[in-house]
Amino acid sequence: MIVESVELKDYRNYEFLDMNFNEHVNIIYGDNAQGKTNILESIYMCSTSKSHRGSKDREIVRFGEDESHIKLNVLKHGMKYRIDMHLKKNKTKGIAVNGIPIKKAVELFGIINIVFFSPEDLNIIKDGPGERRRFLDSELCQLDGVYITELAGYNHIVNQRNRLLKDCYMNPGLKSTLDVWDMQMVDYGKKIIGKREAFVEELNEIARGLHKGLTGGIEELEILYEPSVTAAEFEDKLSRNRERDLRMKLTSVGPHRDDFCVKVNGIDIRRYGSQGQQRTAALSLKLSEIYLVKKKIRDTPVLLLDDVLSELDSSRQTYLLESIHDIQTLIT
Ligand code: ATP
Ligand code: MG
């Protein structure tokens, strides 16, 4: 897949920008605060409808303006796609694909496949389980169109259940209604656990090989899924924990508490890794994403690298650049 061009109007610091890209490595260079990251962000927006920085639409609209426009032209499997996005200060955004408006942002998923690599991604290993779950979920959402609805369904039910747990405190008669939520939670939860399990297994296979290359064969990487509860035990554990959940007013088991463990030569580097080890492992995970997306879409994703090279030593820089030679890359 190739991003051919991007056009921005009143986007962040750009009043107007029109930029074309070639199909190999494109280097965007300039002083600090000139708008390099903003360009990558706008492309990422067209792939996921969200900013990789977690910014709100109103923060993206250029100061003093009411609307931003992004126009992105993409070539995929020989077909041209145009994404138009209107970001508004006080309203939800409008999106059109090839001139046809889409109703839900999820319809955008899968049209443009991006692997975005920013310096924050190098912290996946040392950050908390929430960050690692976010990594799992964003990978799975990109690879599996159904996962995103299952995840949204699951999260909705956890929130409803937590609210009900609070309400039960004042109104114990409500306790019997928990059964309905628990059933749905187990239904969705089992699907999520199953998919995460399979994904981590696949990730482990690919990342292990890449990591060997990155470390010159010295480090053996292992990634292990650490589910809060297995699919088989979920129903049972949820009901056994009910009294405790009622006391805590929180749902204590389920995939919303999952994590994965990252080991190097048998040692858990979340806790005991050096910074360099944690970074290299994070790089292996992100590079694996390229292979997984490639396998899924039978095409190459577009790689966006924001300020990553400066964070790596020269042998890792070389390895990274050598492993991406056949992928369109935009690099700041
Ligand atoms: P660095 O090399 O430091 O990473 P950069 O070139 O990546 O810099 P960007 O992060 O793209 O810089 O930001 C460029 C500028 O955009 C910043 O100075 C920022 O203040 C400005 N900016 C951010 N949001 C808006 C907005 N809504 N309206 C106008 N300017 C904005
Ligand atoms: Mg930047």
Side-chain angles (χ1 to χ4, degrees), residues 10-14 28-41 52-53 55-65 68 89 306-307 332:
D10 294 323
Y11 186 98
R12 298 274 193 193
N13 61 322
Y14 294 103
I28 302 169
Y29 67 95
D31 289 337
N32 291 135
Q34 283 209 308
K36 303 180 292 296
T37 302
N38 292 345
I39 297 173
L40 301 192
E41 179 192 46
H52 71 284
R53 296 190 258 212
S55 303
K56 304 252 161 47
D57 287 2
R58 71 179 125 80
E59 295 161 0
I60 292 172
V61 175
R62 197 163 82 97
F63 301 147
E65 302 296 330
S68 284
K89 265 223 163 111
D306 190 20
D307 265 341
T332 69

Side-chain angles (χ1 to χ4, degrees), residues 158-184:
V158 176
N159 288 334
Q160 294 291 322
R161 188 179 189 271
N162 287 342
R163 195 172 305 160
L164 188 58
L165 289 168
K166 284 188 192 103
D167 292 347
C168 285
Y169 183 73
M170 299 300 283
N171 187 356
L174 287 171
K175 277 186 196 175
S176 58
T177 56
L178 271 168
D179 289 339
V180 184
W181 293 108
D182 286 10
M183 234 165 59
Q184 293 189 52

